[in-house]
Amino acid sequence: MRDFSQSLPMSLLRAREAVMRQFRPSLREHGLTEQQWRILRALAAIEAAEVTELARTAFLLGPSLSRILRDLEARNLIERKTAKTDQRRSMVSISKEGVKLMASVAPSSEAIYAEITQRFGARKLAELQEMLGELEQSLAGPGAGDGAGAEE
Amino acid sequence: MRDFSQSLPMSLLRAREAVMRQFRPSLREHGLTEQQWRILRALAAIEAAEVTELARTAFLLGPSLSRILRDLEARNLIERKTAKTDQRRSMVSISKEGVKLMASVAPSSEAIYAEITQRFGARKLAELQEMLGELEQSLAGPGAGDGAGAEE
DNA sequence: CGCATCAACTTAACATGTTAAGTATTTTCG
DNA sequence: CGAAAATACTTAACATGTTAAGTTGATGCG
């Protein structure tokens, strides 16, 4: 079997970790985890979103999002109100405090991203992202199960 | 600020998730998590390894590895014995049962990997891995902290 | 209308990620 | 030699990943 350290999953894992290692210290100084930061960024770009929509945007599973939203709400970084037309849905939005926190983190975050871009090269970065998108596309859909197991 | 769904961390996260989604069902059928599978694969390639070395190979943090090794040992998939020359170190190796389990998972795992390679294209896959390696390299070393915070 | 079904979350339970602290053993050096 | 520092793990504590089950509010339909 192929040396697993050369496998695609490991390559992706190591690359992502190398990138996130750059951001984590800064986020940590502001009391945010990577996932919390993703949610705030997603919310900052829109007025309000339903939980399910937010999960899709921030690429988090429902249960994780539920917990994080509970915590962010307790910290007054986001606000919730149930939708008028459907009591099941809740509309989530970023609070004033949330906006303020984002403003305090954004400069450092931008600087780190710029540093990464500069180190790796802007053109290569664009190429890489293009390929990652294609990979994602090529694996979307029916799934590459091996057929040996129960498809259910 | 850049639409965060287009950011490098998100691209890497989505790509990796797209890949792992292919493998998880098969691993799950065999009662293994992704991390447990990584450890078994790493161990299968060598006679025995120290915990620290294994952590580096399987790309796991010490605490995660400690827990997982405890569980794998309880399931008799691995074996441990403390090193003769240094009582602090323990040598970990895969057990017969572990080898058997690997043999039962490997075919499906290989098939899935082949399917991914075929869908995305072998040449592109090689290119992608090359770029991921370069990204990792370019971010190794001093760290791209923004300098605004405490370097400690 | 009323019941079965579906939809949107939320909770629960267990595994891992992440940082800090603890433990046991070795090494370094005065 | 023996105390201090370093090394190799392990535990602890809290956050998230992942799947299954539970809750509550909508919807479809006879």
Side-chain angles (χ1 to χ4, degrees), chain A residues 16-17 19-42 72 75 77 98 100-113 116, chain B residues 1 4 7 9-10 144-151:
Chain A
R16 185 171 144 84
E17 177 53 29
V19 171
M20 289 317 299
R21 196 196 321 281
Q22 314 298 318
F23 289 99
R24 261 191 285 269
S26 163
L27 290 177
R28 188 173 170 70
E29 279 175 31
H30 294 277
L32 288 175
T33 65
E34 174 196 338
Q35 292 82 357
Q36 292 165 352
W37 177 237
R38 289 217 301 271
I39 292 171
L40 292 184
R41 284 194 64 174
L72 291 180
R75 289 166 64 184
L77 296 175
K100 204 167 4 172
L101 178 55
M102 278 210 57
S104 80
V105 180
S108 143
S109 179
E110 290 286 0
I112 294 170
Y113 203 95
I116 292 172
Chain B
M1 188 177 287
F4 93 108
S7 70
M10 286 303 291
D146 68 317
E151 267 298 305

Side-chain angles (χ1 to χ4, degrees), chain A:
Chain A
M1 188 177 289
R2 156 192 38 262
D3 176 6
F4 93 107
S5 73
Q6 307 298 320
S7 70
L8 179 60
M10 287 303 291
S11 294
L12 288 165
L13 181 58
R14 278 195 304 258
R16 185 171 144 84
E17 177 53 29
V19 171
M20 289 317 299
R21 196 196 321 281
Q22 314 298 318
F23 289 99
R24 261 191 285 269
S26 163
L27 290 177
R28 188 173 170 70
E29 279 175 31
H30 294 277
L32 288 175
T33 65
E34 174 196 338
Q35 292 82 357
Q36 292 165 352
W37 177 237
R38 289 217 301 271
I39 292 171
L40 292 184
R41 284 194 64 174
L43 287 177
I46 54 183
E47 284 308 308
E50 296 172 14
V51 173
T52 301
E53 183 188 353
L54 188 54
R56 192 170 38 72
T57 308
F59 209 70
L60 291 169
L61 294 178
S64 293
L65 186 53
S66 264
R67 282 177 307 214
I68 301 176
L69 288 179
R70 167 167 48 69
D71 299 348
L72 291 180
E73 190 175 19
R75 289 166 64 184
N76 294 311
L77 296 175
I78 64 162
E79 291 163 359
R80 291 206 240 199
K81 49 184 176 182
T82 56
K84 290 170 283 291
T85 63
D86 188 338
Q87 299 295 113
R88 290 171 305 180
R89 300 167 197 269
S90 80
M91 304 303 291
V92 185
S93 57
I94 191 168
S95 71
K96 259 179 211 171
E97 269 202 66
V99 171
K100 204 167 4 172
L101 178 55
M102 278 210 57
S104 80
V105 180
S108 143
S109 179
E110 290 286 0
I112 294 170
Y113 203 95
E115 167 90 10
I116 292 172
T117 303
Q118 187 240 309
R119 286 200 188 196
F120 185 57
R123 187 163 312 151
K124 278 169 68 175
L125 182 54
E127 272 181 56
L128 174 58
Q129 300 217 51
E130 168 75 16
M131 295 191 79
L132 291 171
E134 288 174 23
L135 173 60
E136 203 187 331
Q137 281 306 311
S138 63
L139 299 184
D146 67 317
E151 267 297 305
E152 190 61 23

